[in-house]
């Protein structure tokens, strides 16, 4: 099952929320900072032990003070115009997050629009990639795309409706 919601991903009651992380995994701005603030200092301590992550990689931690029981930290690509393998790297970030959820027996996962904030990936180009990767897991996993803005949620809904 694939859903689109508009709101704050840190408030969702799901097995895992995905953090659009930077390679250090030590927090930052946007959704990354909000997740670290919501989870509390224990998340930062656990992330320090993970040793960072490469673009396209995903790593899992506990959710600590969040409603979500886990945080999956996925490092998306910085947008350079689409000619440096950004689409493949973004697909890997979604795919690796979904794979971790499946390996840990999770039943629900919520994603932000990875790489579309500070990393500059255009939402219109990122959304089809996210949805395509989700389709391989929707039978066994409740997948929520949580968008902070109405515009982004509308893009997800429109692209999902084109597939129906």
């Amino acid at each position: 099952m694939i859903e689109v919601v508009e709101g704050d991903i840190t408030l969702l009651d799901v097995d895992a929320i995905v953090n659009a992380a930077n390679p250090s995994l030590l927090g930052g701005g946007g959704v990354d900072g909000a997740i670290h603030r919501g989870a509390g200092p224990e998340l930062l301590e656990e992330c320090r032990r993970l040793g960072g992550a490469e673009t396209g990689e995903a790593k899992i931690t506990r959710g600590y003070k969040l409603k979500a029981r886990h945080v999956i930290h996925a490092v998306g690509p910085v947008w350079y115009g689409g000619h440096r393998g950004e689409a493949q790297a973004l697909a890997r970030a979604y795919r690796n997050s979904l794979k971790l959820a499946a390996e840990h027996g999770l039943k629900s996962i919520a994603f932000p629009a990875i790489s579309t904030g500070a990393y500059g990936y255009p939402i219109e180009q990122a959304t089809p990639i996210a949805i395509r990767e989700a389709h391989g897991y929707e039978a066994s996993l409740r997948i929520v795309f949580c968008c902070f803005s109405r515009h982004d949620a509308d893009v997800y809904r429109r692209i999902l409706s084109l597939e129906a």
Side-chain angles (χ1 to χ4, degrees):
M1 170 193 299
I2 296 176
E3 303 171 42
V4 178
V5 300
E6 184 182 336
D8 182 345
I9 197 168
T10 66
L11 302 177
L12 296 182
D13 188 5
V14 291
D15 290 337
I17 59 173
V18 176
N19 179 13
N22 63 52
S24 76
L25 306 183
L26 301 180
V31 72
D32 191 7
I35 288 171
H36 274 269
R37 284 189 300 278
E42 298 89 354
L43 179 62
L44 179 59
E45 289 305 313
E46 186 174 356
C47 285
R48 281 193 174 118
R49 294 189 298 271
L50 296 177
E54 299 294 321
T55 300
E57 266 191 297
K59 295 188 177 182
I60 192 167
T61 63
R62 292 180 43 211
Y64 297 99
K65 294 177 185 168
L66 297 166
K67 288 183 182 179
R69 285 149 299 289
H70 300 277
V71 177
I72 295 175
H73 307 266
V75 181
V78 173
W79 179 254
Y80 292 106
H83 305 292
R84 294 189 184 176
E86 293 98 314
Q88 295 83 359
L90 185 61
R92 278 194 314 276
Y94 280 99
R95 190 176 321 120
N96 286 329
S97 298
L98 290 158
K99 184 178 173 190
L100 268 178
E103 287 171 354
H104 284 83
L106 307 183
K107 299 296 179 201
S108 57
I109 186 171
F111 285 95
I114 297 172
S115 286
T116 64
Y119 282 11
Y121 209 115
I123 188 74
E124 296 278 350
Q125 294 180 42
T127 302
I129 294 167
I131 292 170
R132 182 182 66 237
E133 294 302 323
H135 278 312
Y137 288 85
E138 67 184 308
S140 60
L141 201 54
R142 175 178 161 235
I143 300 168
V144 178
F145 289 108
C146 184
C147 302
F148 193 70
S149 74
R150 173 176 282 169
H151 172 265
D152 289 359
D154 288 345
V155 171
Y156 271 88
R157 288 183 186 110
R158 181 172 43 78
I159 292 173
L160 274 168
S161 72
L162 294 174
E163 296 181 348

